[in-house]
């Protein structure tokens, strides 16, 4: 028996020592993650996977701190982690009632339970809570424990930390809380699902007055709320980032340097994203590095958590055409190759297929560049059939897209299914010369030690020459040359001050616009998740606003560098020799 007791003693002693040694130098750093943007500015902090706004004790109203200690733990500054008298009283009360009703937890115990343990109501968990509280009290000062508690308290409605709660309920900083507001928040944190004034204002007011009386303060007739619901669209980006996180030490402080352009995010979030039912998904990425600069999966994270930029697979429509013509360039087609654009019925394996054009047919021979700029469907289907549907599908397989493509001539018009992320990364590939995995994290430090550095993972190497030629072709959707049919970007030409390569696409249910410069690639999608028809919308204008905002401080830049020969030709853009100008060909 003595041996067994000795073994148990050694076992628990080792566990206690391991726990004690695993604690961070600063308690507030336990399970803390700081996120920095691409300019290394802190923009988000999490503790225990919850968003918090960390403040020092001196930046919290004394009304709140005094009330919290008075109500929750009057002996906070004198006990060693637990209050034996309260625990004894609670124990006998629970015995008499036949169930665990009272916990008698100190502030230290509450912090330990919320951050190290579970809410399970058992005596074994309570014993663990007491032991761990003693260890926390040994290692940290009372002010550190109080500060960590203040910054991790839960106030309901997904709100953690006293600063976030003050902003949410009263639209003010925690240091500016009035006596009644402070006591109202103390009430809320005690049982948010019962005492949140948003859920039950009367219950919160009654309990607040009870707390005020216990502190010999005057009662109040009303607590005026000024609820500010936080915009949580940033979580679209962070949710995706977390898919790429390596395994981290949960006890350590973690500083994650992300690829987010927080200034760009704020611009899009305030100027582009609306609260309309029509959803907007946006994906912005940097050429060559593949750093994701901004990402929106919908208009409102709280009502649309499903990420429409990465998880939704829709028909890309004509935005697939640059990929088709890139494959054509790889197979010796040229931007000046001409085909007849007129109403055509195709017979493929005994099945008739008659595609239509969004606008009218030219009823003449047109070049590949003209077909791309005007989004001619006949030229695209003819090109696909010439190259071979199976061959093009095999080419698409190299990119490891999530969805399989149909064996149909309609594939040339984008009847496959792709996400906005996949399409935007493809276009970014044309700007970079390779198709690669997205990068959300530049580097990670754990306890100030570098533990992760991003490495670009190339999936498909693209031909630089063909990417340059394709980019030249794609910029013609904004051409101001006279044509019998308008180029598809003509209606936003007046919004653009720089040169871009781009392509739009539209179905009854989707509107796409994706384009790039040597500096940035922007993808925009509009639609309804439940496939309602979209009508006429301004997706191209949204694209123009975003990409122009990104280039606002760039006066001019060199278009894609190349070693290709430049020749005079009349075969690239115009019809039958019209509109002569230079174009690069091999």
């Amino acid at each position: 028996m003595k041996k067994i007791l000795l073994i148990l003693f050694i076992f628990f002693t080792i566990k206690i020592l391991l726990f004690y040694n695993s604690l961070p130098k600063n308690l507030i750093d336990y399970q803390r993650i700081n996120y920095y943007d691409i300019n290394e500015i802190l923009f988000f902090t999490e503790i225990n996977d919850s968003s918090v706004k960390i403040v020092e004790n001196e930046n919290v109203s004394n009304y709140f701190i005094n009330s919290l200690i008075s109500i929750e733990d009057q002996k906070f500054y004198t006990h060693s982690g637990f209050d034996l008298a309260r625990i004894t009283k609670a124990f006998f009360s629970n015995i008499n009632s036949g169930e665990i009703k009272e916990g008698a937890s100190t502030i230290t115990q509450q912090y330990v339970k919320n951050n190290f343990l579970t809410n399970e109501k058992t005596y074994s968990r309570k014993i663990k809570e007491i032991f761990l509280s003693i260890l926390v009290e040994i290692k940290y000062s009372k002010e550190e424990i109080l500060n960590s508690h203040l910054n991790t308290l839960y106030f309901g409605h997904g709100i953690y930390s006293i600063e976030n709660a003050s902003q949410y309920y009263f639209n003010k900083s925690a240091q500016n809380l009035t006596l009644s507001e402070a006591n109202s928040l103390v009430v809320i944190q005690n049982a948010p699902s019962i005492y949140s004034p948003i859920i039950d204002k009367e219950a919160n007011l009654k309990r607040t007055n009870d707390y005020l009386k216990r502190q010999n303060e005057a009662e109040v007739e009303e607590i005026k709320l000024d609820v500010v619901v936080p915009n949580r669209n940033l979580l679209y980006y962070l949710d995706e980032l977390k898919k790429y996180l390596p395994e981290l030490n949960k006890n350590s402080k973690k500083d994650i340097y992300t690829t987010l352009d927080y200034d760009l995010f704020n611009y899009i979030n305030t100027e582009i994203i609306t609260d309309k039912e029509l959803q907007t998904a946006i994906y912005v990425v940097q050429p060559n590095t593949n750093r994701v600069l901004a990402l929106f999966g919908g208009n409102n994270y709280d009502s649309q958590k499903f990420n429409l930029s990465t998880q939704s697979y829709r028909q890309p429509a004509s935005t697939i055409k640059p990929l088709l013509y890139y494959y054509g360039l790889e197979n010796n087609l040229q931007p000046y190759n001409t085909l007849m654009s007129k109403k055509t019925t195709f017979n493929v394996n005994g099945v008739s297929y008659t595609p239509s054009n969004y606008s009218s047919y030219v009823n003449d021979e047109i070049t590949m560049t003209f077909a791309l700029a005007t989004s001619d469907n006949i030229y695209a289907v003819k090109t696909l059939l010439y190259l071979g549907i199976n061959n093009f599908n095999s080419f698409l397989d190299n990119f490891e897209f999530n969805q399989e493509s149909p064996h149909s001539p309609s594939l040339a018009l984008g009847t496959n299914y792709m996400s906005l992320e996949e399409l935007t990364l493809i276009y970014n590939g044309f700007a970079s010369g390779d198709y690669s995995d997205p990068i959300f994290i530049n580097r990670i430090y754990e306890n100030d030690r570098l533990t992760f550095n991003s490495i670009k993972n190339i999936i498909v190497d693209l031909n630089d020459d063909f990417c340059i030629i394709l980019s030249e072709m794609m910029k013609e959707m904004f051409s101001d040359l006279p044509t019998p049919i308008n180029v598809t970007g003509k209606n936003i030409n007046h919004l653009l001050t720089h040169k871009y390569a781009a392509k739009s696409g539209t179905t009854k249910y989707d509107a796409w616009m994706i384009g790039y410069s040597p500096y940035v690639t922007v993808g925009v999608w509009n639609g309804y998740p439940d496939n309602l028809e979209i009508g006429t919308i301004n997706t191209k204008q949204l694209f123009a606003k975003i990409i122009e905002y990104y280039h606002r401080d760039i006066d001019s830049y060199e278009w894609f560098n190349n070693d290709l020969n430049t020749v005079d030709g009349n075969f690239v853009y115009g019809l039958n020799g019209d509109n002569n100008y230079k174009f690069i060909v091999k």
Side-chain angles (χ1 to χ4, degrees):
M1 185 65 180
K2 286 182 179 179
K3 265 189 174 181
I4 294 173
L5 290 174
L6 180 61
I7 291 170
L8 287 174
F9 175 76
I10 294 171
F11 174 75
F12 284 114
T13 301
I14 291 171
K15 285 200 75 173
I16 288 170
L17 288 172
L18 287 174
F19 172 79
Y20 186 83
N21 289 329
S22 72
L23 292 171
K25 181 180 178 182
N26 301 306
L27 185 57
I28 193 63
D29 289 337
Y30 181 74
Q31 292 201 355
R32 173 179 173 179
I33 302 179
N34 296 320
Y35 294 91
Y36 300 85
D37 71 1
I38 200 166
N39 295 312
E40 302 189 0
I41 298 171
L42 179 69
F43 69 88
F44 195 82
T45 298
E46 279 184 338
I47 294 179
N48 278 335
D49 295 323
S50 302
S51 170
V52 300
K53 183 78 174 289
I54 293 176
V55 291
E56 299 301 324
N57 294 351
E58 57 264 30
N59 292 324
V60 178
S61 166
N62 284 330
Y63 291 135
F64 182 86
I65 293 175
N66 293 339
S67 176
L68 182 72
I69 292 173
S70 173
I71 300 299
E72 301 282 353
D73 188 3
Q74 292 181 6
K75 298 179 182 178
F76 173 68
Y77 285 108
T78 58
H79 63 61
S80 299
F82 67 101
D83 186 333
L84 183 59
R86 287 179 66 195
I87 289 175
T88 303
K89 182 182 175 184
F91 175 75
F92 285 109
S93 175
N94 292 335
I95 291 292
N96 290 332
S97 66
E99 57 182 316
I100 301 175
K101 285 185 174 180
E102 296 185 33
S105 292
T106 63
I107 284 175
T108 309
Q109 286 176 263
Q110 290 177 39
Y111 173 78
V112 165
K113 180 191 70 174
N114 293 337
N115 292 276
F116 297 99
L117 301 172
T118 67
N119 289 321
E120 179 188 15
K121 289 187 176 182
T122 63
Y123 288 113
S124 62
R125 196 228 64 197
K126 197 69 179 178
I127 292 169
K128 286 180 189 175
E129 181 184 294
I130 292 170
F131 271 107
L132 297 184
S133 296
I134 293 170
L135 293 176
V136 167
E137 290 268 355
I138 290 171
K139 184 155 187 169
Y140 303 105
S141 70
K142 290 289 186 180
E143 291 306 311
E144 285 182 281
I145 295 168
L146 178 62
N147 183 251
S148 296
H149 188 55
L150 294 175
N151 285 304
T152 55
L153 279 172
Y154 182 56
F155 292 87
H157 309 286
I159 305 300
Y160 288 83
S161 78
I162 179 60
E163 181 65 21
N164 278 345
S166 301
Q167 298 286 356
Y168 177 73
Y169 287 103
F170 301 112
N171 192 21
K172 62 174 63 175
S173 173
Q175 64 185 343
N176 297 323
L177 290 169
T178 65
L179 176 64
S180 60
E181 291 167 347
N183 277 272
S184 176
L185 289 177
V186 173
V187 169
I188 295 169
Q189 62 84 37
N190 190 261
S193 61
I194 299 173
Y195 295 118
S196 164
I198 295 173
I199 296 172
D200 192 336
K201 198 169 185 178
E202 291 303 315
N204 178 270
L205 178 62
K206 183 176 182 301
R207 187 98 168 168
T208 298
N209 279 326
D210 288 343
Y211 282 13
L212 289 170
K213 278 194 292 184
R214 286 166 65 177
Q215 298 167 75
N216 298 315
E217 299 286 355
E219 295 183 31
V220 294
E221 294 183 1
E222 183 185 10
I223 297 170
K224 293 183 179 180
L225 298 178
D226 186 5
V227 176
V228 179
V229 178
N231 184 298
R232 303 205 302 157
N233 285 344
L234 192 59
L235 296 184
Y236 283 125
Y237 176 90
L238 290 175
D239 284 352
E240 289 304 310
L241 177 149
K242 289 175 182 178
K243 296 177 183 178
Y244 296 90
L245 272 178
E247 188 173 344
L248 302 172
N249 178 2
K250 72 175 184 177
N251 296 335
S252 66
K253 181 190 73 167
K254 293 162 281 289
D255 294 304
I256 298 178
Y257 290 83
T258 76
T259 62
L260 180 74
D261 184 328
Y262 193 65
D263 177 76
L264 178 65
F265 163 82
N266 271 332
Y267 170 76
I268 296 173
N269 201 34
T270 56
E271 300 297 327
I272 304 297
I273 299 296
T274 69
D275 58 359
K276 293 179 181 177
E277 188 179 349
L278 179 76
Q279 295 294 314
T280 300
I282 295 168
Y283 200 98
V284 185
V285 62
Q286 191 177 62
N288 300 309
T289 66
N290 257 43
R291 291 171 178 155
V292 180
L293 303 175
L295 182 156
F296 287 80
N299 297 345
N300 187 310
Y301 182 86
D302 287 318
S303 60
Q304 174 65 48
K305 287 185 174 63
F306 182 76
N307 195 318
L308 294 169
S309 68
T310 61
Q311 297 174 298
S312 179
Y313 293 87
R314 318 279 296 199
Q315 290 189 343
S318 291
T319 57
I320 194 72
K321 289 174 181 174
L323 198 52
L324 172 65
Y325 294 138
Y326 172 87
Y327 182 59
L329 295 173
E330 275 197 346
N331 286 273
N332 300 318
L333 297 184
Q334 300 291 341
Y336 52 81
N337 291 150
T338 59
L339 292 170
M340 180 65 69
S341 171
K342 65 178 183 179
K343 185 175 182 180
T344 307
T345 297
F346 301 91
N347 289 292
V348 181
N349 297 325
V351 179
S352 295
Y353 175 59
T354 308
S356 59
N357 269 349
Y358 179 76
S359 51
S360 60
Y361 305 98
V362 177
N363 290 314
D364 204 339
E365 289 194 348
I366 60 173
T367 64
M368 184 190 294
T369 304
F370 183 88
L372 186 58
T374 58
S375 204
D376 188 272
N377 289 337
I378 304 302
Y379 196 107
V381 174
K382 287 181 177 180
T383 301
L384 175 63
L385 295 178
Y386 172 79
L387 295 169
I389 299 173
N390 284 341
N391 293 335
F392 186 52
N393 267 323
S394 296
F395 169 70
L396 294 180
D397 288 342
N398 295 326
F399 296 88
E400 303 175 5
F401 298 139
N402 192 274
Q403 305 285 319
E404 290 187 4
S405 299
H407 182 86
S408 166
S410 66
L411 175 58
L413 312 185
T415 56
N416 56 324
Y417 288 85
M418 298 179 71
S419 68
L420 177 63
E421 177 178 57
E422 289 175 337
L423 274 167
T424 308
L425 290 175
I426 278 288
Y427 281 54
N428 199 59
F430 298 146
S432 310
D434 58 70
Y435 176 75
S436 303
D437 283 331
I439 291 177
F440 289 84
I441 304 166
N442 282 326
R443 60 192 182 281
I444 299 174
Y445 292 87
E446 296 185 71
N447 290 334
D448 302 320
R449 184 173 63 89
L450 181 65
T451 59
F452 176 85
N453 235 332
S454 66
I455 299 174
K456 184 176 177 180
N457 179 43
I458 296 175
I459 299 172
V460 179
D461 261 319
L462 300 173
N463 183 290
D464 289 339
D465 291 351
F466 299 145
C467 287
I468 292 167
I469 293 173
L470 186 67
S471 297
E472 287 290 332
M473 294 167 61
M474 290 172 67
K475 71 179 175 60
E476 296 306 332
M477 77 169 287
F478 304 117
S479 174
D480 56 4
L481 291 173
T483 57
I485 295 175
N486 283 340
V487 293
T488 54
K490 191 168 187 175
N491 63 333
I492 61 168
N493 269 1
H494 64 288
L495 301 175
L496 305 178
T497 61
H498 295 74
K499 186 188 297 186
Y500 306 116
K503 185 72 188 79
S504 60
T506 309
T507 72
K508 285 183 179 179
Y509 316 105
D510 308 273
W512 308 81
M513 181 67 179
I514 309 169
Y516 57 89
S517 75
Y519 290 90
V520 71
T521 302
V522 175
V524 182
W525 171 88
N526 284 121
Y528 297 97
D530 51 358
N531 279 336
L532 297 175
E533 293 191 13
I534 56 175
T536 303
I537 53 178
N538 62 343
T539 307
K540 293 175 188 175
Q541 285 82 355
L542 298 184
F543 163 85
K545 288 181 179 180
I546 296 168
I547 203 163
E548 280 290 308
Y549 180 81
Y550 189 85
H551 290 85
R552 66 195 182 282
D553 295 325
I554 304 173
D555 293 330
S556 62
Y557 55 79
E558 187 174 347
W559 193 239
F560 296 98
N561 292 324
N562 65 86
D563 296 322
L564 301 178
N565 294 321
T566 312
V567 299
D568 285 318
N570 57 14
F571 39 68
V572 178
Y573 183 77
L575 300 170
N576 298 327
D578 294 340
N579 306 324
N580 298 328
Y581 66 93
K582 282 191 169 187
F583 187 77
I584 50 173
V585 294
K586 192 138 185 175

